[in-house]
Each structure stands twice: as structure tokens, then as C-alpha cells.
Amino acid sequence: MPVDSLTDDGFFSNNGLSIAFFTLGLFSIAGQALSGFAAYNSSLSESQLPVISFAAYLGTGTFLDGIFSNWQAAVLQLGTLITLGSFLRQRGAAHSLKPKEEGGHKGDQVSGSKPSGHGWLHDHSLSLAFSVLFVIFLGLHAFAGALKNNEDELLRHHGPITFPQYLHSAAFLFSIGQTWEAEFFVMGLYLLLSIFLRERGSSESKSSSCGTQETGEVNE
């Protein structure tokens, strides 16, 4: 099919992958909100505190921290893959540049001309965008985590702590570590498994005819 004819396929067929992910994300948030609301009010009842409405629950640190703690880690994972993947290799992986001895490089790096300031921003706009998103979501995670921590302290009939105190607490560092380690290890597993395993038709997999030592060209 000619490339020009792709515009005739319609909006949903041309954007199905992103629509599917955003739809799955919305369903996941809805499920998290409903189940979290029931669990939160159950904890309030056990502590002999008045229950809250669903709208009020959506503004609690418990709900918001559950979202942003995962979002900052997911953004960090992709941002790290984008950045490290521009100069590090994994022979045989689907999502890697070819080793240098095999001539692996990005097509726009062949030219020896030094890019202008605008050109540099354009060349690194994806990693910069993920860096900004990571800082935003990490800040939101810290803010929501402090709210959640004080909500938990209230359930235990303890006093609240300040935001700076929370940033230096073991609870905050633990919340970061438990999400980061999962993201990094899963990405490492994907890189290694993609050397040996295949998924026909997926852009994140090598062709079924490729050998294990053949490195993918996802980024080339």
C-alpha cells in the first residue's frame, strides 16, 4: 500500500496503539480509584474516623501518591532507555543500535557538522521532554507522598510532619527505590529476552528470521 494512502485509513486505525494505551490507563485509574476508595474508608472506619466521599478521596494523598509514584518511575525508565540507548549497545537485543564494529550509528550522526543551538534542542528534544516530565512527576510524587504519610499518621493518631522532613524520611526514599528497581530490572529483562524471543508483527521485536546475534534496528 502506498504511504500516501495511509491517510485514508481513518483516525482510529492510524492512532490505534496510542488510543489503546490511553484507554487502558484510564480503566486502570478508574479501578484504582474505586478499590482505593473502599479500602480508604475501611481504614477510616477501623480507626473510628468519619468516612469521606468519593470526590474527597480523589484529592487525598493516598490516591494521588498511588498514581504519581508509578508515573515518575515509568517516565524515568523510558527516559533512561532513550538516553542510554543513544550511546550504549546490547548485541542481539531488538531495541538497540548495532555494535560499533558493525557500523551501528544513527543516520543523523553521520554528518560531521556541529548542530546549532536550535538543532541541538531538536536532536535531543525527546530525552529533554522526558527529563522535564520526570522532574514534574517526581515533585508531584513527593508532594502527594507527604500528604499520604500524614494521612497514615492521622490513622495511627500521631501528629503530622513537615514536607522537608518527609523528603529526608526513609518512607520517601523507600517509595522511590521500590518503583525504580522494578522499572530498571523489567527493562533489562526485556532487552535480554528480545535477543532470543520474538513477537511477530511487533516493532519492539526482531523479525522471526533474525538470529540471536543480530541486533535490532529499532532506533536506526
Side-chain angles (χ1 to χ4, degrees):
M1 178 183 296
V3 175
D4 293 341
S5 66
L6 291 177
T7 57
D8 300 329
D9 289 346
F11 176 81
F12 288 101
S13 60
N14 289 335
N15 300 278
L17 189 58
S18 59
I19 291 173
F21 273 106
F22 281 116
T23 301
L24 289 170
L26 289 174
F27 274 114
S28 299
I29 290 177
Q32 175 188 350
L34 292 172
S35 58
F37 172 62
Y40 191 79
N41 273 340
S42 176
S43 297
L44 290 177
S45 297
E46 291 176 0
S47 299
Q48 297 182 340
L49 295 172
V51 298
I52 62 175
S53 67
F54 181 70
Y57 170 72
L58 296 181
T60 63
T62 299
F63 174 69
L64 295 176
D65 183 63
I67 292 178
F68 295 127
S69 63
N70 291 309
W71 285 22
Q72 56 86 21
V75 169
L76 176 65
Q77 179 203 61
L78 289 178
T80 303
L81 176 64
I82 292 166
T83 303
L84 295 183
S86 65
F87 60 89
L88 298 180
R89 272 66 169 170
Q90 176 57 58
R91 181 183 293 275
H95 203 109
S96 173
L97 295 172
K98 291 181 179 179
K100 291 183 179 180
E101 60 269 24
E102 296 179 10
H105 56 72
K106 285 187 179 289
D108 56 5
Q109 292 177 343
V110 176
S111 174
S113 60
K114 187 176 180 179
S116 62
H118 179 270
W120 185 90
L121 289 175
H122 180 270
D123 289 346
H124 301 280
S125 56
L126 188 58
S127 60
L128 289 172
F130 271 89
S131 297
V132 172
L133 287 172
F134 171 68
V135 172
I136 292 173
F137 287 133
L138 181 63
L140 290 172
H141 167 49
F143 176 75
L147 291 178
K148 178 183 183 300
N149 181 81
N150 286 337
E151 290 167 6
D152 292 340
E153 292 298 313
L154 176 63
L155 293 177
R156 292 191 288 266
H157 303 286
H158 295 164
I161 63 174
T162 64
F163 183 67
Q165 286 176 324
Y166 176 71
L167 292 181
H168 292 87
S169 68
F172 179 58
L173 297 177
F174 175 78
S175 69
I176 291 178
Q178 69 175 345
T179 54
W180 288 12
E181 54 89 9
E183 300 292 344
F184 290 140
F185 274 110
V186 167
M187 186 52 64
L189 286 173
Y190 159 65
L191 290 171
L192 294 180
L193 290 176
S194 71
I195 298 174
F196 309 100
L197 306 180
R198 308 287 185 268
E199 184 58 46
R200 181 180 295 275
S202 174
S203 61
E204 299 302 315
S205 170
K206 294 187 294 184
S207 170
S208 300
S209 60
C210 290
T212 58
Q213 291 302 304
E214 293 184 64
T215 303
E217 299 183 4
V218 174
N219 292 327
E220 297 193 80

PDB file of all heavy atoms in Angstrom, residues 88-119:
ATOM      1  N   LEU A  88      24.905   3.432  24.280  1.00  0.00           N
ATOM      2  CA  LEU A  88      25.227   2.088  24.750  1.00  0.00           C
ATOM      3  C   LEU A  88      24.556   1.044  23.858  1.00  0.00           C
ATOM      4  O   LEU A  88      23.509   1.302  23.276  1.00  0.00           O
ATOM      5  CB  LEU A  88      24.781   1.902  26.206  1.00  0.00           C
ATOM      6  CG  LEU A  88      25.443   2.803  27.248  1.00  0.00           C
ATOM      7  CD1 LEU A  88      24.887   2.506  28.635  1.00  0.00           C
ATOM      8  CD2 LEU A  88      26.960   2.640  27.235  1.00  0.00           C
ATOM      9  N   ARG A  89      25.176  -0.151  23.761  1.00  0.00           N
ATOM     10  CA  ARG A  89      24.667  -1.214  22.899  1.00  0.00           C
ATOM     11  C   ARG A  89      24.395  -2.485  23.695  1.00  0.00           C
ATOM     12  O   ARG A  89      24.984  -2.709  24.750  1.00  0.00           O
ATOM     13  CB  ARG A  89      25.684  -1.567  21.800  1.00  0.00           C
ATOM     14  CG  ARG A  89      25.622  -0.774  20.510  1.00  0.00           C
ATOM     15  CD  ARG A  89      25.972   0.655  20.669  1.00  0.00           C
ATOM     16  NE  ARG A  89      26.158   1.310  19.371  1.00  0.00           N
ATOM     17  CZ  ARG A  89      26.287   2.617  19.240  1.00  0.00           C
ATOM     18  NH1 ARG A  89      26.245   3.400  20.290  1.00  0.00           N
ATOM     19  NH2 ARG A  89      26.456   3.163  18.048  1.00  0.00           N
ATOM     20  N   GLN A  90      23.495  -3.302  23.174  1.00  0.00           N
ATOM     21  CA  GLN A  90      23.282  -4.655  23.673  1.00  0.00           C
ATOM     22  C   GLN A  90      23.175  -5.563  22.466  1.00  0.00           C
ATOM     23  O   GLN A  90      22.158  -5.584  21.782  1.00  0.00           O
ATOM     24  CB  GLN A  90      22.017  -4.754  24.516  1.00  0.00           C
ATOM     25  CG  GLN A  90      21.697  -6.167  24.986  1.00  0.00           C
ATOM     26  CD  GLN A  90      22.822  -6.774  25.785  1.00  0.00           C
ATOM     27  OE1 GLN A  90      23.232  -6.225  26.803  1.00  0.00           O
ATOM     28  NE2 GLN A  90      23.347  -7.914  25.341  1.00  0.00           N
ATOM     29  N   ARG A  91      24.257  -6.290  22.187  1.00  0.00           N
ATOM     30  CA  ARG A  91      24.285  -7.136  20.992  1.00  0.00           C
ATOM     31  C   ARG A  91      23.131  -8.142  21.027  1.00  0.00           C
ATOM     32  O   ARG A  91      22.906  -8.826  22.017  1.00  0.00           O
ATOM     33  CB  ARG A  91      25.605  -7.892  20.890  1.00  0.00           C
ATOM     34  CG  ARG A  91      25.692  -8.784  19.650  1.00  0.00           C
ATOM     35  CD  ARG A  91      26.989  -9.578  19.616  1.00  0.00           C
ATOM     36  NE  ARG A  91      28.135  -8.699  19.446  1.00  0.00           N
ATOM     37  CZ  ARG A  91      28.575  -8.269  18.256  1.00  0.00           C
ATOM     38  NH1 ARG A  91      27.933  -8.644  17.153  1.00  0.00           N
ATOM     39  NH2 ARG A  91      29.627  -7.483  18.172  1.00  0.00           N
ATOM     40  N   GLY A  92      22.387  -8.203  19.940  1.00  0.00           N
ATOM     41  CA  GLY A  92      21.302  -9.159  19.806  1.00  0.00           C
ATOM     42  C   GLY A  92      19.955  -8.659  20.265  1.00  0.00           C
ATOM     43  O   GLY A  92      18.939  -9.280  19.972  1.00  0.00           O
ATOM     44  N   ALA A  93      19.911  -7.524  21.001  1.00  0.00           N
ATOM     45  CA  ALA A  93      18.639  -7.015  21.502  1.00  0.00           C
ATOM     46  C   ALA A  93      17.855  -6.330  20.391  1.00  0.00           C
ATOM     47  O   ALA A  93      18.431  -5.759  19.464  1.00  0.00           O
ATOM     48  CB  ALA A  93      18.869  -6.045  22.655  1.00  0.00           C
ATOM     49  N   ALA A  94      16.529  -6.382  20.503  1.00  0.00           N
ATOM     50  CA  ALA A  94      15.690  -5.740  19.488  1.00  0.00           C
ATOM     51  C   ALA A  94      15.783  -4.228  19.573  1.00  0.00           C
ATOM     52  O   ALA A  94      15.800  -3.536  18.560  1.00  0.00           O
ATOM     53  CB  ALA A  94      14.238  -6.186  19.663  1.00  0.00           C
ATOM     54  N   HIS A  95      15.848  -3.688  20.788  1.00  0.00           N
ATOM     55  CA  HIS A  95      15.824  -2.242  20.992  1.00  0.00           C
ATOM     56  C   HIS A  95      17.231  -1.748  21.281  1.00  0.00           C
ATOM     57  O   HIS A  95      17.537  -1.277  22.379  1.00  0.00           O
ATOM     58  CB  HIS A  95      14.891  -1.888  22.155  1.00  0.00           C
ATOM     59  CG  HIS A  95      14.379  -0.490  22.088  1.00  0.00           C
ATOM     60  ND1 HIS A  95      13.071  -0.188  21.794  1.00  0.00           N
ATOM     61  CD2 HIS A  95      15.003   0.702  22.256  1.00  0.00           C
ATOM     62  CE1 HIS A  95      12.902   1.108  21.795  1.00  0.00           C
ATOM     63  NE2 HIS A  95      14.062   1.674  22.089  1.00  0.00           N
ATOM     64  N   SER A  96      18.100  -1.836  20.290  1.00  0.00           N
ATOM     65  CA  SER A  96      19.468  -1.373  20.461  1.00  0.00           C
ATOM     66  C   SER A  96      20.073  -1.038  19.108  1.00  0.00           C
ATOM     67  O   SER A  96      19.724  -1.640  18.091  1.00  0.00           O
ATOM     68  CB  SER A  96      20.321  -2.454  21.142  1.00  0.00           C
ATOM     69  OG  SER A  96      21.696  -2.084  21.171  1.00  0.00           O
ATOM     70  N   LEU A  97      20.977  -0.052  19.111  1.00  0.00           N
ATOM     71  CA  LEU A  97      21.781   0.196  17.930  1.00  0.00           C
ATOM     72  C   LEU A  97      22.724  -0.979  17.726  1.00  0.00           C
ATOM     73  O   LEU A  97      23.079  -1.681  18.672  1.00  0.00           O
ATOM     74  CB  LEU A  97      22.595   1.483  18.115  1.00  0.00           C
ATOM     75  CG  LEU A  97      21.810   2.798  18.243  1.00  0.00           C
ATOM     76  CD1 LEU A  97      22.777   3.917  18.619  1.00  0.00           C
ATOM     77  CD2 LEU A  97      21.097   3.124  16.955  1.00  0.00           C
ATOM     78  N   LYS A  98      23.140  -1.176  16.492  1.00  0.00           N
ATOM     79  CA  LYS A  98      24.112  -2.228  16.229  1.00  0.00           C
ATOM     80  C   LYS A  98      25.447  -1.863  16.866  1.00  0.00           C
ATOM     81  O   LYS A  98      25.761  -0.688  17.058  1.00  0.00           O
ATOM     82  CB  LYS A  98      24.289  -2.400  14.714  1.00  0.00           C
ATOM     83  CG  LYS A  98      23.079  -2.980  14.006  1.00  0.00           C
ATOM     84  CD  LYS A  98      23.344  -3.149  12.530  1.00  0.00           C
ATOM     85  CE  LYS A  98      22.136  -3.750  11.821  1.00  0.00           C
ATOM     86  NZ  LYS A  98      22.357  -3.907  10.370  1.00  0.00           N
ATOM     87  N   PRO A  99      26.250  -2.871  17.216  1.00  0.00           N
ATOM     88  CA  PRO A  99      27.582  -2.590  17.761  1.00  0.00           C
ATOM     89  C   PRO A  99      28.392  -1.734  16.800  1.00  0.00           C
ATOM     90  O   PRO A  99      28.197  -1.777  15.582  1.00  0.00           O
ATOM     91  CB  PRO A  99      28.198  -3.989  17.917  1.00  0.00           C
ATOM     92  CG  PRO A  99      27.018  -4.902  18.054  1.00  0.00           C
ATOM     93  CD  PRO A  99      25.952  -4.311  17.192  1.00  0.00           C
ATOM     94  N   LYS A 100      29.310  -0.937  17.330  1.00  0.00           N
ATOM     95  CA  LYS A 100      30.069  -0.001  16.506  1.00  0.00           C
ATOM     96  C   LYS A 100      30.891  -0.708  15.434  1.00  0.00           C
ATOM     97  O   LYS A 100      31.061  -0.186  14.333  1.00  0.00           O
ATOM     98  CB  LYS A 100      30.987   0.836  17.403  1.00  0.00           C
ATOM     99  CG  LYS A 100      30.235   1.804  18.301  1.00  0.00           C
ATOM    100  CD  LYS A 100      31.182   2.651  19.118  1.00  0.00           C
ATOM    101  CE  LYS A 100      30.408   3.646  19.991  1.00  0.00           C
ATOM    102  NZ  LYS A 100      31.318   4.489  20.805  1.00  0.00           N
ATOM    103  N   GLU A 101      31.392  -1.905  15.765  1.00  0.00           N
ATOM    104  CA  GLU A 101      32.203  -2.606  14.773  1.00  0.00           C
ATOM    105  C   GLU A 101      31.375  -3.061  13.578  1.00  0.00           C
ATOM    106  O   GLU A 101      31.922  -3.420  12.538  1.00  0.00           O
ATOM    107  CB  GLU A 101      32.914  -3.806  15.405  1.00  0.00           C
ATOM    108  CG  GLU A 101      31.990  -4.862  16.009  1.00  0.00           C
ATOM    109  CD  GLU A 101      31.701  -4.615  17.465  1.00  0.00           C
ATOM    110  OE1 GLU A 101      31.821  -3.443  17.899  1.00  0.00           O
ATOM    111  OE2 GLU A 101      31.381  -5.590  18.167  1.00  0.00           O
ATOM    112  N   GLU A 102      30.045  -3.054  13.736  1.00  0.00           N
ATOM    113  CA  GLU A 102      29.168  -3.397  12.621  1.00  0.00           C
ATOM    114  C   GLU A 102      28.599  -2.156  11.950  1.00  0.00           C
ATOM    115  O   GLU A 102      27.650  -2.231  11.158  1.00  0.00           O
ATOM    116  CB  GLU A 102      28.020  -4.278  13.123  1.00  0.00           C
ATOM    117  CG  GLU A 102      28.487  -5.619  13.671  1.00  0.00           C
ATOM    118  CD  GLU A 102      27.324  -6.471  14.180  1.00  0.00           C
ATOM    119  OE1 GLU A 102      26.169  -6.094  13.932  1.00  0.00           O
ATOM    120  OE2 GLU A 102      27.593  -7.506  14.814  1.00  0.00           O
ATOM    121  N   GLY A 103      29.165  -1.016  12.298  1.00  0.00           N
ATOM    122  CA  GLY A 103      28.719   0.223  11.673  1.00  0.00           C
ATOM    123  C   GLY A 103      27.479   0.812  12.283  1.00  0.00           C
ATOM    124  O   GLY A 103      26.760   1.572  11.623  1.00  0.00           O
ATOM    125  N   GLY A 104      27.187   0.444  13.545  1.00  0.00           N
ATOM    126  CA  GLY A 104      25.983   0.944  14.173  1.00  0.00           C
ATOM    127  C   GLY A 104      26.090   2.420  14.521  1.00  0.00           C
ATOM    128  O   GLY A 104      27.016   2.855  15.190  1.00  0.00           O
ATOM    129  N   HIS A 105      25.156   3.192  14.037  1.00  0.00           N
ATOM    130  CA  HIS A 105      25.087   4.617  14.349  1.00  0.00           C
ATOM    131  C   HIS A 105      23.729   5.127  13.913  1.00  0.00           C
ATOM    132  O   HIS A 105      23.018   4.486  13.138  1.00  0.00           O
ATOM    133  CB  HIS A 105      26.184   5.409  13.628  1.00  0.00           C
ATOM    134  CG  HIS A 105      26.175   5.228  12.136  1.00  0.00           C
ATOM    135  ND1 HIS A 105      25.205   5.774  11.312  1.00  0.00           N
ATOM    136  CD2 HIS A 105      27.005   4.510  11.335  1.00  0.00           C
ATOM    137  CE1 HIS A 105      25.450   5.432  10.069  1.00  0.00           C
ATOM    138  NE2 HIS A 105      26.522   4.666  10.042  1.00  0.00           N
ATOM    139  N   LYS A 106      23.383   6.289  14.389  1.00  0.00           N
ATOM    140  CA  LYS A 106      22.152   6.927  13.941  1.00  0.00           C
ATOM    141  C   LYS A 106      22.432   7.658  12.646  1.00  0.00           C
ATOM    142  O   LYS A 106      23.478   8.260  12.474  1.00  0.00           O
ATOM    143  CB  LYS A 106      21.619   7.906  14.996  1.00  0.00           C
ATOM    144  CG  LYS A 106      20.981   7.219  16.188  1.00  0.00           C
ATOM    145  CD  LYS A 106      20.332   8.253  17.073  1.00  0.00           C
ATOM    146  CE  LYS A 106      19.676   7.587  18.268  1.00  0.00           C
ATOM    147  NZ  LYS A 106      18.485   6.846  17.896  1.00  0.00           N
ATOM    148  N   GLY A 107      21.465   7.632  11.769  1.00  0.00           N
ATOM    149  CA  GLY A 107      21.655   8.232  10.470  1.00  0.00           C
ATOM    150  C   GLY A 107      21.993   9.710  10.539  1.00  0.00           C
ATOM    151  O   GLY A 107      22.790  10.209   9.755  1.00  0.00           O
ATOM    152  N   ASP A 108      21.408  10.438  11.510  1.00  0.00           N
ATOM    153  CA  ASP A 108      21.649  11.875  11.568  1.00  0.00           C
ATOM    154  C   ASP A 108      22.947  12.218  12.273  1.00  0.00           C
ATOM    155  O   ASP A 108      23.278  13.370  12.465  1.00  0.00           O
ATOM    156  CB  ASP A 108      20.489  12.604  12.253  1.00  0.00           C
ATOM    157  CG  ASP A 108      20.204  12.080  13.648  1.00  0.00           C
ATOM    158  OD1 ASP A 108      20.966  11.221  14.096  1.00  0.00           O
ATOM    159  OD2 ASP A 108      19.219  12.537  14.261  1.00  0.00           O
ATOM    160  N   GLN A 109      23.737  11.191  12.667  1.00  0.00           N
ATOM    161  CA  GLN A 109      25.017  11.445  13.293  1.00  0.00           C
ATOM    162  C   GLN A 109      26.168  11.282  12.317  1.00  0.00           C
ATOM    163  O   GLN A 109      27.310  11.463  12.665  1.00  0.00           O
ATOM    164  CB  GLN A 109      25.236  10.502  14.487  1.00  0.00           C
ATOM    165  CG  GLN A 109      24.292  10.779  15.648  1.00  0.00           C
ATOM    166  CD  GLN A 109      24.482   9.794  16.783  1.00  0.00           C
ATOM    167  OE1 GLN A 109      25.082   8.738  16.608  1.00  0.00           O
ATOM    168  NE2 GLN A 109      23.964  10.131  17.948  1.00  0.00           N
ATOM    169  N   VAL A 110      25.855  10.928  11.089  1.00  0.00           N
ATOM    170  CA  VAL A 110      26.905  10.697  10.105  1.00  0.00           C
ATOM    171  C   VAL A 110      27.592  11.998   9.756  1.00  0.00           C
ATOM    172  O   VAL A 110      28.802  12.077   9.595  1.00  0.00           O
ATOM    173  CB  VAL A 110      26.308  10.051   8.835  1.00  0.00           C
ATOM    174  CG1 VAL A 110      27.382   9.897   7.779  1.00  0.00           C
ATOM    175  CG2 VAL A 110      25.690   8.708   9.174  1.00  0.00           C
ATOM    176  N   SER A 111      26.818  13.067   9.619  1.00  0.00           N
ATOM    177  CA  SER A 111      27.390  14.363   9.263  1.00  0.00           C
ATOM    178  C   SER A 111      28.280  14.871  10.376  1.00  0.00           C
ATOM    179  O   SER A 111      27.966  14.768  11.554  1.00  0.00           O
ATOM    180  CB  SER A 111      26.260  15.360   8.995  1.00  0.00           C
ATOM    181  OG  SER A 111      26.810  16.646   8.782  1.00  0.00           O
ATOM    182  N   GLY A 112      29.417  15.448   9.996  1.00  0.00           N
ATOM    183  CA  GLY A 112      30.354  15.956  10.985  1.00  0.00           C
ATOM    184  C   GLY A 112      30.082  17.391  11.377  1.00  0.00           C
ATOM    185  O   GLY A 112      30.800  17.960  12.190  1.00  0.00           O
ATOM    186  N   SER A 113      29.065  18.025  10.800  1.00  0.00           N
ATOM    187  CA  SER A 113      28.770  19.418  11.109  1.00  0.00           C
ATOM    188  C   SER A 113      28.237  19.548  12.523  1.00  0.00           C
ATOM    189  O   SER A 113      27.477  18.719  12.998  1.00  0.00           O
ATOM    190  CB  SER A 113      27.748  19.974  10.113  1.00  0.00           C
ATOM    191  OG  SER A 113      26.546  19.231  10.186  1.00  0.00           O
ATOM    192  N   LYS A 114      28.638  20.631  13.192  1.00  0.00           N
ATOM    193  CA  LYS A 114      28.196  20.867  14.563  1.00  0.00           C
ATOM    194  C   LYS A 114      26.810  21.494  14.546  1.00  0.00           C
ATOM    195  O   LYS A 114      26.596  22.511  13.881  1.00  0.00           O
ATOM    196  CB  LYS A 114      29.183  21.789  15.274  1.00  0.00           C
ATOM    197  CG  LYS A 114      28.895  21.970  16.758  1.00  0.00           C
ATOM    198  CD  LYS A 114      29.969  22.807  17.409  1.00  0.00           C
ATOM    199  CE  LYS A 114      29.698  22.987  18.894  1.00  0.00           C
ATOM    200  NZ  LYS A 114      30.753  23.800  19.558  1.00  0.00           N
ATOM    201  N   PRO A 115      25.842  20.914  15.250  1.00  0.00           N
ATOM    202  CA  PRO A 115      24.486  21.458  15.202  1.00  0.00           C
ATOM    203  C   PRO A 115      24.393  22.803  15.909  1.00  0.00           C
ATOM    204  O   PRO A 115      25.133  23.092  16.851  1.00  0.00           O
ATOM    205  CB  PRO A 115      23.661  20.392  15.943  1.00  0.00           C
ATOM    206  CG  PRO A 115      24.630  19.739  16.859  1.00  0.00           C
ATOM    207  CD  PRO A 115      25.940  19.738  16.125  1.00  0.00           C
ATOM    208  N   SER A 116      23.474  23.653  15.457  1.00  0.00           N
ATOM    209  CA  SER A 116      23.219  24.925  16.108  1.00  0.00           C
ATOM    210  C   SER A 116      22.464  24.686  17.404  1.00  0.00           C
ATOM    211  O   SER A 116      22.088  23.558  17.722  1.00  0.00           O
ATOM    212  CB  SER A 116      22.392  25.818  15.177  1.00  0.00           C
ATOM    213  OG  SER A 116      21.131  25.217  14.916  1.00  0.00           O
ATOM    214  N   GLY A 117      22.238  25.788  18.167  1.00  0.00           N
ATOM    215  CA  GLY A 117      21.504  25.638  19.424  1.00  0.00           C
ATOM    216  C   GLY A 117      20.129  25.066  19.198  1.00  0.00           C
ATOM    217  O   GLY A 117      19.693  24.151  19.910  1.00  0.00           O
ATOM    218  N   HIS A 118      19.433  25.583  18.208  1.00  0.00           N
ATOM    219  CA  HIS A 118      18.101  25.059  17.889  1.00  0.00           C
ATOM    220  C   HIS A 118      18.183  23.622  17.406  1.00  0.00           C
ATOM    221  O   HIS A 118      17.345  22.787  17.750  1.00  0.00           O
ATOM    222  CB  HIS A 118      17.437  25.943  16.831  1.00  0.00           C
ATOM    223  CG  HIS A 118      16.079  25.465  16.419  1.00  0.00           C
ATOM    224  ND1 HIS A 118      15.898  24.574  15.371  1.00  0.00           N
ATOM    225  CD2 HIS A 118      14.841  25.721  16.920  1.00  0.00           C
ATOM    226  CE1 HIS A 118      14.607  24.315  15.240  1.00  0.00           C
ATOM    227  NE2 HIS A 118      13.941  24.995  16.163  1.00  0.00           N
ATOM    228  N   GLY A 119      19.219  23.350  16.612  1.00  0.00           N
ATOM    229  CA  GLY A 119      19.395  21.977  16.113  1.00  0.00           C
ATOM    230  C   GLY A 119      19.672  21.000  17.230  1.00  0.00           C
ATOM    231  O   GLY A 119      19.180  19.872  17.221  1.00  0.00           O
TER     232      GLY A 119
END
